[in-house]
Amino acid sequence: TMADETFDSMEEALAATKDQSKWYTKSLEYWSHVAPTVDGVLGGFGFINEADIAGSKKLLTSLMGSRKEDAVVVDVGAGIGRISSQLLQHFFGVIDLVEPDTRYLTTAQQSITAATVGETYCCGLQQFTPQQNRYTCIWFQWVLNYLTDEDLLAVLDKCRQALVPGGFIVVKENATRRGFVLDRADSSVTRPDPHFRTLFKKSGFDITKHYEEEGFPEGLFPVQVYVMFVSK
């Protein structure tokens, strides 16, 4: 959108918001007005849902093989359960949910019919404190652009300890070709890919797989997919 502005660093992008103390409340406020539907949560691009889920299914099949009944996954920024219901419940027996909007969280819980809903965290990602040694997979999608770098590093630090041995993180996020793009409307910054990789490595993860998701229309941010294991 025209309201987006590009900066050379995360610091500059955040400084341009004038009042950083309202960073997270502004984002919550924005989402509180968005309909709890696939088209709503995908910003009017509901038609990309199919390509998105198909790509993710291929990825999880390569990582998991078949469904693991005793494996626990957490859907971070679960929204209405779009990913949990269409993807994660076909691979994991238990799904935990992290979602700050109560309307969305209720919808997400109801959408999961083939797996057990484990813990639900009605909080922002920056406040999420996972149990240690619980997850086979932590799934972040279209949520990290709402976090500052500082909070992102803190979350990844907690998540490193939340994985079971051999557990992994999947990150599926918009990335810019260049620069940091601030969206004032929903209080988000889209980062360039090299910056993401720097943050992930800094957090003690090895990126074992990284690619750009296919099948999305031109004119949207490229979607980068990262699979990460704790560095040995």
Side-chain angles (χ1 to χ4, degrees):
T1 59
M2 294 306 287
D4 295 350
E5 302 153 78
T6 305
F7 297 89
D8 292 331
S9 72
M10 191 70 177
E11 290 69 34
E12 286 172 61
L14 287 171
T17 63
K18 304 286 182 276
D19 189 354
Q20 288 186 42
S21 67
K22 294 201 174 78
W23 180 252
Y24 291 115
T25 46
K26 205 171 164 192
S27 163
L28 281 177
E29 166 71 8
Y30 172 88
W31 286 104
S32 72
H33 299 291
V34 175
T37 60
V38 167
D39 207 47
V41 297
L42 292 179
F45 293 102
F47 58 87
I48 68 174
N49 177 66
E50 212 169 309
D52 172 53
I53 296 294
S56 295
K57 268 191 176 141
K58 219 158 97 181
L59 173 66
L60 273 183
T61 303
S62 76
L63 288 163
M64 300 275 296
S66 57
R67 187 170 194 269
K68 307 269 190 289
E69 204 51 57
D70 57 349
V72 188
V73 62
V74 58
D75 184 354
V76 183
I80 59 169
R82 182 184 73 86
I83 299 165
S84 280
S85 63
Q86 296 182 58
L87 173 77
L88 300 177
Q89 67 174 348
H90 304 303
F91 289 91
F92 301 92
V94 181
I95 303 176
D96 288 0
L97 302 168
V98 182
E99 172 51 54
D101 187 302
T102 48
R103 292 173 313 147
Y104 285 177
L105 188 55
T106 306
T107 309
Q109 285 173 279
Q110 290 164 352
S111 78
I112 298 166
T113 51
T116 305
V117 177
E119 306 286 337
T120 57
Y121 296 85
C122 190
C123 67
L125 169 48
Q126 72 283 2
Q127 296 150 331
F128 172 49
T129 302
Q131 295 176 31
Q132 294 198 356
N133 205 35
R134 177 166 172 83
Y135 299 118
T136 295
C137 171
I138 299 173
W139 192 279
F140 293 104
Q141 184 164 349
W142 288 325
V143 66
L144 296 181
N145 54 338
Y146 296 103
L147 288 188
T148 63
D149 278 0
E150 196 182 352
D151 285 339
L152 177 46
L153 288 169
V155 164
L156 286 173
D157 193 49
K158 289 187 279 192
C159 286
R160 205 175 58 240
Q161 298 160 49
L163 290 169
V164 299
F168 56 91
I169 288 182
V170 175
V171 170
K172 203 167 179 178
E173 291 290 341
N174 290 352
T176 66
R177 293 280 179 229
R178 180 192 69 73
F180 295 76
V181 176
L182 169 68
D183 183 336
R184 293 174 190 270
D186 70 351
S187 218
S188 68
V189 177
T190 304
R191 299 165 169 91
D193 158 62
H195 189 72
F196 267 132
R197 283 183 288 149
T198 303
L199 292 174
F200 298 154
K201 284 175 184 150
K202 207 170 171 177
S203 302
F205 287 97
D206 287 332
I207 301 164
T208 56
K209 196 178 269 211
H210 170 223
Y211 59 93
E212 198 169 299
E213 189 58 284
E214 294 167 348
F216 288 160
E218 290 296 306
L220 298 177
F221 281 117
V223 174
Q224 302 292 330
V225 183
Y226 308 87
V227 178
M228 309 190 283
F229 289 83
V230 178
S231 301
K232 290 280 181 280

